[in-house]
Amino acid sequence: MTAGTVLSLLKKRGETLATAESLTGGLVAATIVDVPGASAVYRGGLVAYATELKAALVGVPNDLLAARGPVDPDVARALARGARERCGADWGLATTGVAGPDPQDGHPVGRVYVAVSGPGVDEVRELTLTGDRPAIRAGSVAAVLVLLEDTLVSARFA
């Protein structure tokens, strides 16, 4: 169970977590808080579904959003940083992308960016997911949690 694993790792380290979500609409947060004891680590999250809220609530630069739109690796990185900063957490996770059923601004259905921001880390992964809207959203949740787990267990952070 990846959510349980990352919460356990963060608890052992005395570190906290926050989230900023777009296409997942709160599913990352819901997955995290489904784990008993999550409150020891999880500070909170922001759901910024509308593009302008990514700037207003999470702090994504308006010029970045205007130039590239919301489905972009640098936007994902800024969302993860914003989650950390706005929620006062050590680590931030973010999701942005196209869940479908239609493409968005030239991006195909299933194009997703997940990001982690933490001490000395700002990493983004691009995903190409398949399936229907619920499958793409679930795959995004799993992928962002795996990204954090991979980061936490890397030799750099062990």
Side-chain angles (χ1 to χ4, degrees):
M1 171 185 226
T2 300
T5 300
V6 297
L7 291 174
S8 177
L9 289 168
L10 289 169
K11 185 174 181 181
K12 287 177 189 173
R13 296 160 59 107
E15 295 175 336
T16 57
L17 176 63
T19 55
E21 303 180 61
S22 183
L23 85 151
T24 49
L27 287 177
V28 176
T31 301
I32 290 167
V33 301
D34 274 347
V35 178
S39 61
V41 171
Y42 188 62
R43 301 263 312 143
L46 303 157
V47 176
Y49 210 66
T51 299
E52 65 272 12
L53 291 181
K54 289 169 180 60
L57 294 179
V58 191
V60 176
N62 278 314
D63 59 342
L64 175 61
L65 290 166
R68 301 199 196 154
V71 182
D72 180 82
D74 290 331
V75 170
R77 185 176 288 111
L79 286 166
R81 286 181 191 154
R84 282 181 74 196
E85 293 166 5
R86 301 290 167 109
C87 294
D90 298 298
W91 293 90
L93 295 179
T95 61
T96 190
V98 184
D102 300 314
Q104 178 183 337
D105 299 328
H107 298 285
V109 172
R111 172 64 39 80
V112 174
Y113 296 97
V114 296
V116 61
S117 179
V121 175
D122 281 304
E123 186 174 338
V124 178
R125 286 186 183 163
E126 179 181 305
L127 310 172
T128 302
L129 301 174
T130 59
D132 60 8
R133 186 174 175 81
I136 290 169
R137 293 175 72 222
S140 301
V141 171
V144 78
L145 291 171
V146 166
L147 175 58
L148 177 57
E149 182 178 359
D150 289 350
T151 302
L152 293 172
V153 300
S154 72
R156 183 171 159 191
F157 289 99

